[in-house]
Amino acid sequence: MKTYPIYAAGEFITTQQKLEVKSSFNNEIIAETYLADEVVLNNCINKALKVSEELASIPAYEKYDILMQISNKINDNKDHLASILSAEASKPLKYAVSEINRAIYTFIAAAEETKRPPMEYIRLDWEPSGKNKEGLVKYFPIGVVAGISPFNFPMNLAVHKIAPAIASSCPIILKPSSTTPLSTLELANIINQTSLPKGAVSILPMDRKVGNLLVTDERIKLLSFTGSPEVGWKMKNDAGKKKVVLELGGNAGTIVTKSSDIDSAVKRCVVGGFAYSGQVCIHAQRIYVAKEILTEFTEKFIVEVKKLNFGNPLDINTDITSMIDEQNAIRVENWVNEAKQDGAIILCGGNRNNAFYEPTILCNTNNTMKISCMEIFGPVVTVEPFDKFEEAVEMVNDSVYGLQAGVFTNNIEEANYAFNKLNVGGVIINDIPTFRVDHAPYGGIKDSGLGREGVKYAIVDMMEPKILVKNF
Amino acid sequence: MKTYPIYAAGEFITTQQKLEVKSSFNNEIIAETYLADEVVLNNCINKALKVSEELASIPAYEKYDILMQISNKINDNKDHLASILSAEASKPLKYAVSEINRAIYTFIAAAEETKRPPMEYIRLDWEPSGKNKEGLVKYFPIGVVAGISPFNFPMNLAVHKIAPAIASSCPIILKPSSTTPLSTLELANIINQTSLPKGAVSILPMDRKVGNLLVTDERIKLLSFTGSPEVGWKMKNDAGKKKVVLELGGNAGTIVTKSSDIDSAVKRCVVGGFAYSGQVCIHAQRIYVAKEILTEFTEKFIVEVKKLNFGNPLDINTDITSMIDEQNAIRVENWVNEAKQDGAIILCGGNRNNAFYEPTILCNTNNTMKISCMEIFGPVVTVEPFDKFEEAVEMVNDSVYGLQAGVFTNNIEEANYAFNKLNVGGVIINDIPTFRVDHAPYGGIKDSGLGREGVKYAIVDMMEPKILVKNF
Amino acid sequence: MKTYPIYAAGEFITTQQKLEVKSSFNNEIIAETYLADEVVLNNCINKALKVSEELASIPAYEKYDILMQISNKINDNKDHLASILSAEASKPLKYAVSEINRAIYTFIAAAEETKRPPMEYIRLDWEPSGKNKEGLVKYFPIGVVAGISPFNFPMNLAVHKIAPAIASSCPIILKPSSTTPLSTLELANIINQTSLPKGAVSILPMDRKVGNLLVTDERIKLLSFTGSPEVGWKMKNDAGKKKVVLELGGNAGTIVTKSSDIDSAVKRCVVGGFAYSGQVCIHAQRIYVAKEILTEFTEKFIVEVKKLNFGNPLDINTDITSMIDEQNAIRVENWVNEAKQDGAIILCGGNRNNAFYEPTILCNTNNTMKISCMEIFGPVVTVEPFDKFEEAVEMVNDSVYGLQAGVFTNNIEEANYAFNKLNVGGVIINDIPTFRVDHAPYGGIKDSGLGREGVKYAIVDMMEPKILVKNF
Amino acid sequence: MKTYPIYAAGEFITTQQKLEVKSSFNNEIIAETYLADEVVLNNCINKALKVSEELASIPAYEKYDILMQISNKINDNKDHLASILSAEASKPLKYAVSEINRAIYTFIAAAEETKRPPMEYIRLDWEPSGKNKEGLVKYFPIGVVAGISPFNFPMNLAVHKIAPAIASSCPIILKPSSTTPLSTLELANIINQTSLPKGAVSILPMDRKVGNLLVTDERIKLLSFTGSPEVGWKMKNDAGKKKVVLELGGNAGTIVTKSSDIDSAVKRCVVGGFAYSGQVCIHAQRIYVAKEILTEFTEKFIVEVKKLNFGNPLDINTDITSMIDEQNAIRVENWVNEAKQDGAIILCGGNRNNAFYEPTILCNTNNTMKISCMEIFGPVVTVEPFDKFEEAVEMVNDSVYGLQAGVFTNNIEEANYAFNKLNVGGVIINDIPTFRVDHAPYGGIKDSGLGREGVKYAIVDMMEPKILVKNF
């Protein structure tokens, strides 16, 4: 069994507190690592502060090289990284490979954006006091950044904090999920091989108490959190003077209209609903189907869902496997059973086996049921009919969340209406809400979050504008 | 004596709680108005929510017309508005006129920006999953906005919240300072004459308890506060899920180098140090002068400061008058006296007469004295020598604040160094830190604030991006 | 009868050569003006050169004021200007009013863009040689601009050259059409009342020989021509070192699909086909209708076209009146007759009466007929069926021209296909190709032109970027 | 001796007409290649047209990969490519290496820009006719591009046409200089190894007669020429309807002021004046030195110039070697002798040996001498004093050319004045006019050219905007 030291400001260290990383699929211990304590964390913050100036003085071509080297090395180790990710997160290998691929692209995007920070050159003579004056607006690193990333995309959601931090010259302390710390510790190893100044990146698994210092320590200037809404919003209030970016979850809605290509919609909804057992922020939890095609859609959907292969995450043919832990599988089981008692009908699935929960489709649901109004974060999907398109939009909007929504339609008016009226951060036409590319703005409104990620957007958040007023 | 009803969601109303507005110059009551209570506020928030959709559906050319009408009507009533502002704030008339002029420009800028919201059209095929997809990013109003504005620029700092809110289609509840509510109530009258939907703007003087509901009410999506650091940072922690923009104060530094035009620097420092008795967020509080020119600068500076005319704010020849209230004048007096006891030397001024405090220049100060390290918000300026330019930058940076800084120099290296190293939101070359034009980004770092104002930047803060992913 | 002196570098002058302006509707002489000779032109170019520096030094807020004053004065004289335009161009009054309104907006757009020239601030350290260097890109006026504008929009197409020229600080010599010089001479009067430096604008009717000096004179740095393709392309070859922008014509296609709102399409096609007798660059000359709805569309179209009121252009109820001159009406008559001989069927119209040619709809046409493959610039429209959408796109593309195209559809795939495949400068979804707003990019490809107008785009063409490389 | 087939639309072919490539240093034949005839060229244009659609449909991530592969392969073959470039162009190896390095960066920049084409999303409702309409502006490839590149940067100036053409999906026919065709034929080999569709790039040496078809053939939509002013401007008039971009030469001026770092200025002027024997478009031909430091500057300058090593271009220690051919060396000799007769004084150099011309500094010159007012394109520099900075600017501007200028100063006012007043495309503060980074806008005004290169800017030139007007 491998032991992973943790990455503390350029040094790989061990601590007194061991952390075992287990597979939820077979309960085997995959590896052992360590939890950082307060002393380690404090040391990393101090080194981060110290390295700030050096980091900011790296020219763009060197920063570009460093980030491209990281991207290339991830590419070179793709198989290895994917299998570690697959094992620690019980994520089917094919999805693990795709996540590693995305991390490669995310670093490329960051490499490129480091050359293109937001800079402005503006006239100031819009009013007489600005006569003979011009303004240069340049963005400077905000300071030390804390990133807290979740178990479900242990690599790429951490990379969405690390890569922009490097690009914007902010030292970063990243706390990975204690359930899935290995991918980022592998990444630490790659980062450490580059000429990036030591101290610029720390990867520190921590328990909640120590981790919470990232929220409260005033030396940290930005907290970027991806995780559950309850935890996230609490952090915002505890964060003192620092900026906070929250990427939380939701109960994303999908609308399938008469004018859509039903087979394509079915195929994509299988992915949106059950990839990684729905443990995805933009899991396609609620599907609203035009009543005229409800039967056809539902029948085809059930057929396709039943084809999903259950198996070992490390098997490339596996479509679905255990959830992250049994506790979550039990939670999902309870929610589904509650819904059933309240009248929901299980069209397929509905059974649990240890940490595995079957892909489950429900109908006859309503939005007072937890499986509909809360974030299920499991392999459960509701399918409900709608009459008019406007009603479907209203049903999607009838949620405290607002992350993304998918709309299958070939109708221009519907697409425009959806874009203007859906209260979400992203509307995906002819695809599932689960769609994301790494350079595009991503994030939610309402309880789903605050701010946007996506490489360029994260970089902007990590920088402070400063205007130079030129007199000439 | 005139009575001003308050502006509650399109209606001019009175309440049980009267509010007297007094001149600090002669203690005369200028006018009477009212404080909104919880019921009024709640009603305004509800109407704001109701009007949101109508507001968002106004085409740009109509929104432009509305904002230009407001600008034009302010222009038409410039003298009237300036004298009210002058009276309520004890602001010398010439500065009041200049503030009204700026409000005119601020509304023009907002009118224009309403046509140019941030919109993006981007390729998504940077990675294979984005093949045949493109993204449209459009910005939508964030929701109801609360604005809290201070006494010192009763018109234009309120306009910096109201005009962007109208431009971005966010209904706004503005709480003016209870000391100086009249300018914005005059503005309410102008706004009410346009076709802007009723409910889009409310101007509500409130006591602190009621006003605090703007901070905690979750129906409000953005709080934009301009005021003191202590109050502002406290609000951030109480603000729940809403976005917070803080425009706070500072103890701005100015550097005068050998290569500068001394006479010009002196002339501008008189304005930066004593305009409106230094009751300005970007008051030029600390002046650092190259030791070779210290004597010349200081002598000339004293001469010019002594020329400042004390008088009735409403007299166009008045340069300086009473502070906003006696309490603040006493505070300034105490701080100066403390500094004197600790070794500071008063080069001119140093006396108080009721609410008036003399324009005061100190030397031999250090940064443990309140008059140096805290925000004096009064007519007091320190002048200290420096040896090397880098030291001057360090002295300016040696502060918990970081709003703006002025640098008088004709040396390219110094200007570049200043831009890169001064930890502030704005570096003004060959002018005082007190410089601002209304469309440029403005705001501080460190304890001086969070986020930026300036019409375009405020509009961005008041909007949420939403991406449409097109499949083609 | 009024006599209009011409506007030569700030002076209203007369010359030896009189120019009569006649109504084609009733052959009455409307007014008299003058043709500039070589001496006058030379003098205007010299004064333009002399005023360049002064013009460039005007701060943005003053330039804004000047342009807004022009816009406001046009607004104040809207009725007067519309009736002059209507008379000189035989343009139905309602279209003349709409043109004057557009001129108002065009000047507003120019006023605003003068504050927002393209300026860039970029990192240069993408390669080692750029280390510690940054670039400022600022745009400077290109120099003296010559504008040549056509008869059909005598005001607004001239304004599309004059307003950007003022905004970009380029002196301009505008040659209006000799048929319709009065609108711009009225505009000259308005411009002359502002504080714009004399010499910045000249409005000079000229015969072709003198006018051609605008093409060949090397002191002129940009030629902006709107007119016929033959003349325009010839100019490009004669233009020496100067930049050339050509806004020429076309035979714009419109596609009406099954998913469209037929009644709306019919209504808009009447405007696109017959407004101002089709004497419009983006005249909707060729209409392609899905075969399933051909009969319905055609019948409704004929009914609506027959309702068009013929009358005096100055009558507000007139929909259609004489063409610009009899010679053009005869040309149209000949082309239609030729088409008829080759098998085309006249569905309505087809007769001429002096300069008036009836609104005419043809079917059974093909693209070897002049009425289809050449620019008819008259009130003639072809209606042809299509089977698949791709074929319709191909038919629209089967032209030497490529200005704009209209597509009536509610189908996302068709809209995307149209955007990607139509070889034109603009694709208008659910409207006629005749659509234009004045701040948007406008212009053609293939034989329809070179470059784009639209205020911001014209300004860019009139400026030269200059990079400042900062070493720091 | 190696034989290079030419690269005709994806095939390496030979023709009847052989072309010998000789070293001007030792008159040895380096290699043999071929001249394309009309048939070959015509075939390449046809294949370019055919491949256009396929080329345009390549997703950004694939285009990025192709361009990065090219960049990486150039990097892998850097030494080989540099020595070929050095040999064919008689360019000292160290400069050849630097040119190959720049080609690597140019392809990276193009790879990145392919993901970021100019795309706009704008409101159209600035006027009532735009109500409920929005505009998407997308840029499409302009069509087949012809590039004509000069001998002096045989690789990178060709790459500045090829890389943007690939990035913008325009097929390109590149005509390298017949003197130095080998670098680009090596590049052809690299390009051919990628998956770029065959036909997208052709590299065809041609004689002037055949090459001129690139100017006149109307199937070509853009001509991008880098070379001499006479040839370039003639082409503009012969180019028919196609767009023309001209990157021509100049007689760049450099100003050295009192506030500058003289030693640094001297060091950089040696490079600017004599790198590659001044056969550089932005050769620092005219140096204006503040009279107070003239003696010091000149003395130091002569000392440094005399240190330049003459030798075989392929020797890494060689600083200077033969010019491109004896004919040019003779021309330079004649110009210097003429100047001498007219009073110029030779401070060093002044002798010719076959194709080698000594690094030569002249003083006592005036701007009627060819060595001053024309483009010398040889190792000759004039040094003249100035009194006031404004005069120096005037002397630099006193030229028919306007490419770039260098200004050595530490004075803000001078830098601002220079930026605003120098009539050039680029002002380089504290460096020579010879400075260029490949992603920045580059190009001249006056007789020095038309349009700008620099990857992003070249891409824009190679694309046509098309607006989609959305109705919603």
Side-chain angles (χ1 to χ4, degrees), chain B residues 372-387:
Chain B
S372 178
C373 69
M374 292 177 71
E375 182 175 28
I376 185 81
F377 227 65
V380 177
V381 157
T382 68
V383 177
E384 297 296 338
F386 69 86
D387 192 354

Side-chain angles (χ1 to χ4, degrees), chain C residues 336-346 362-366 368-369 371 384:
Chain C
V336 171
N337 290 342
E338 272 178 49
K340 202 175 156 187
Q341 284 176 333
D342 293 347
I345 295 167
I346 298 177
L362 300 174
C363 68
N364 211 28
T365 65
N366 64 56
T368 62
M369 297 173 178
I371 47 95
E384 297 296 338

Side-chain angles (χ1 to χ4, degrees), chain B residues 29-80:
Chain B
I29 296 175
I30 301 161
E32 214 174 57
T33 182
Y34 302 88
L35 291 173
D37 53 30
E38 275 192 45
V39 176
V40 167
L41 174 57
N42 189 50
N43 184 34
C44 287
I45 296 176
N46 280 331
K47 289 197 176 161
L49 289 167
K50 262 182 215 145
V51 84
S52 294
E53 203 158 329
E54 183 188 350
L55 191 57
S57 71
I58 299 175
Y61 60 91
E62 273 185 37
K63 194 76 80 61
Y64 172 84
D65 270 355
I66 290 167
L67 287 157
M68 289 299 280
Q69 277 174 40
I70 298 172
S71 179
N72 289 331
K73 282 173 204 284
I74 295 174
N75 202 6
D76 295 344
N77 291 284
K78 198 190 289 188
D79 292 345
H80 173 65

Side-chain angles (χ1 to χ4, degrees), chain A residues 59-61 114-117 119-121 123 125-126 128 131 134 136-138 409-413, chain C residues 59-61 114-117 119-121 123 125-128 131 134 136-138 409-413:
Chain A
Y61 60 91
T114 209
K115 304 181 192 170
R116 299 167 175 85
M119 294 168 89
E120 288 181 85
Y121 180 26
R123 294 189 78 134
D125 60 352
W126 295 24
K131 189 172 174 180
E134 292 177 339
L136 299 183
V137 186
K138 190 170 163 179
T409 180
N410 194 26
N411 183 301
I412 290 175
E413 280 182 21
Chain C
Y61 60 90
T114 210
K115 304 182 191 169
R116 298 167 175 85
M119 295 167 87
E120 288 181 85
Y121 180 27
R123 294 191 78 134
D125 60 351
W126 295 24
E127 22 188 297
K131 188 172 175 180
E134 292 176 339
L136 299 184
V137 186
K138 189 171 163 178
T409 180
N410 193 26
N411 183 301
I412 290 175
E413 281 182 21

Side-chain angles (χ1 to χ4, degrees), chain A residues 121 134 136 468 470, chain B residues 412 416, chain C residues 120-124 133-140 465-472, chain D residues 389 404-407 409 411-422 424-431 435 437 440-441:
Chain A
Y121 180 26
E134 292 177 339
L136 299 183
L468 178 83
K470 277 177 67 180
Chain B
I412 289 175
N416 284 332
Chain C
E120 288 181 85
Y121 180 27
I122 53 176
R123 294 191 78 134
L124 295 180
K133 286 183 158 73
E134 292 176 339
L136 299 184
V137 186
K138 189 171 163 178
Y139 284 65
F140 292 81
K466 191 194 294 184
I467 186 169
L468 179 84
V469 175
K470 277 177 67 178
N471 245 300
F472 63 93
Chain D
F389 187 73
Q404 296 205 136
V407 180
T409 179
N411 183 301
I412 290 176
E413 281 183 20
E414 288 175 358
N416 284 332
Y417 186 88
F419 189 25
N420 286 315
K421 297 294 183 189
L422 283 167
V424 293
V427 174
I428 321 296
I429 299 298
N430 288 320
D431 211 334
F435 174 80
V437 283

Side-chain angles (χ1 to χ4, degrees), chain D residues 336-406:
Chain D
V336 171
N337 289 344
E338 273 177 48
K340 201 175 158 187
Q341 284 176 334
D342 292 347
I345 296 167
I346 297 177
L347 295 175
C348 71
N351 301 302
R352 184 177 67 82
N353 185 354
N354 298 323
F356 174 64
Y357 195 82
E358 283 184 335
T360 300
I361 306 174
L362 302 174
C363 69
N364 211 29
T365 64
N366 63 56
N367 83 342
T368 63
M369 299 171 175
K370 281 184 190 154
I371 47 95
S372 178
C373 70
M374 293 178 70
E375 181 175 29
I376 185 81
F377 227 66
V380 176
V381 158
T382 68
V383 177
E384 298 296 339
F386 69 87
D387 193 354
K388 291 191 181 165
F389 187 73
E390 291 77 3
E391 289 168 23
V393 168
E394 213 170 291
M395 288 191 281
V396 171
N397 281 342
D398 186 11
S399 166
V400 295
Y401 298 110
L403 196 43
Q404 296 205 136

Side-chain angles (χ1 to χ4, degrees), chain C residues 186-391:
Chain C
E186 289 279 349
L187 177 63
N189 195 37
I190 286 172
I191 291 172
N192 197 52
Q193 292 166 42
T194 70
S195 65
L196 189 73
K198 303 310 170 198
V201 175
S202 293
I203 311 279
L204 304 180
M206 288 178 256
D207 63 23
R208 185 157 289 194
K209 190 172 145 257
V210 179
N212 206 46
L213 295 173
L214 294 175
V215 180
T216 55
D217 192 306
E218 288 285 11
R219 292 172 297 177
I220 290 169
K221 297 303 177 195
L222 175 100
L223 170 67
S224 175
F225 172 80
T226 303
S228 78
E230 307 71 43
V231 177
W233 290 114
K234 171 76 171 59
M235 284 177 175
K236 176 171 184 292
N237 287 328
D238 297 340
K241 291 175 182 163
K242 69 176 62 60
K243 243 201 222 176
V244 176
V245 175
L246 301 175
E247 297 295 337
L248 312 174
N251 57 350
T254 305
I255 299 173
V256 184
T257 71
K258 281 175 289 182
S259 69
S260 68
D261 173 339
I262 296 183
D263 291 334
S264 156
V266 164
K267 208 171 136 194
R268 295 300 294 152
C269 283
V270 173
V271 174
F274 302 105
Y276 194 41
S277 298
Q279 299 168 117
V280 176
C281 307
I282 32 178
H283 167 230
Q285 183 169 341
R286 299 177 294 149
I287 304 178
Y288 298 100
V289 183
K291 63 173 194 233
E292 295 86 347
I293 57 165
L294 179 67
T295 309
E296 182 184 353
F297 176 87
T298 310
E299 285 173 4
K300 288 179 166 173
F301 191 36
I302 294 169
V303 167
E304 291 302 316
V305 169
K306 287 190 170 162
K307 289 183 188 163
L308 294 173
N309 287 323
F310 171 76
N312 188 322
L314 285 159
D315 180 343
I316 194 66
N317 295 312
T318 292
D319 294 314
I320 194 154
T321 184
S322 304
M323 289 180 63
I324 189 67
D325 54 30
E326 189 164 355
Q327 183 186 340
N328 270 289
I330 292 169
R331 179 186 52 74
V332 169
E333 183 179 36
N334 291 341
W335 289 17
V336 171
N337 290 342
E338 272 178 49
K340 202 175 156 187
Q341 284 176 333
D342 293 347
I345 295 167
I346 298 177
L347 295 175
C348 70
N351 301 301
R352 183 178 67 81
N353 185 353
N354 298 323
F356 174 63
Y357 195 81
E358 283 183 333
T360 299
I361 307 174
L362 300 174
C363 68
N364 211 28
T365 65
N366 64 56
N367 83 342
T368 62
M369 297 173 178
K370 282 183 190 155
I371 47 95
S372 177
C373 69
M374 294 178 69
E375 182 176 27
I376 184 80
F377 227 65
V380 176
V381 158
T382 68
V383 177
E384 297 296 338
F386 69 85
D387 191 356
K388 291 192 181 164
F389 187 75
E390 291 77 3
E391 288 168 23

Side-chain angles (χ1 to χ4, degrees), chain C residues 66-75 104-105 107-108:
Chain C
I66 291 167
L67 286 158
M68 288 299 279
Q69 277 174 40
I70 298 172
S71 179
N72 289 331
K73 282 175 205 282
I74 296 174
N75 201 7
I104 293 167
Y105 285 111
F107 271 108
I108 293 177

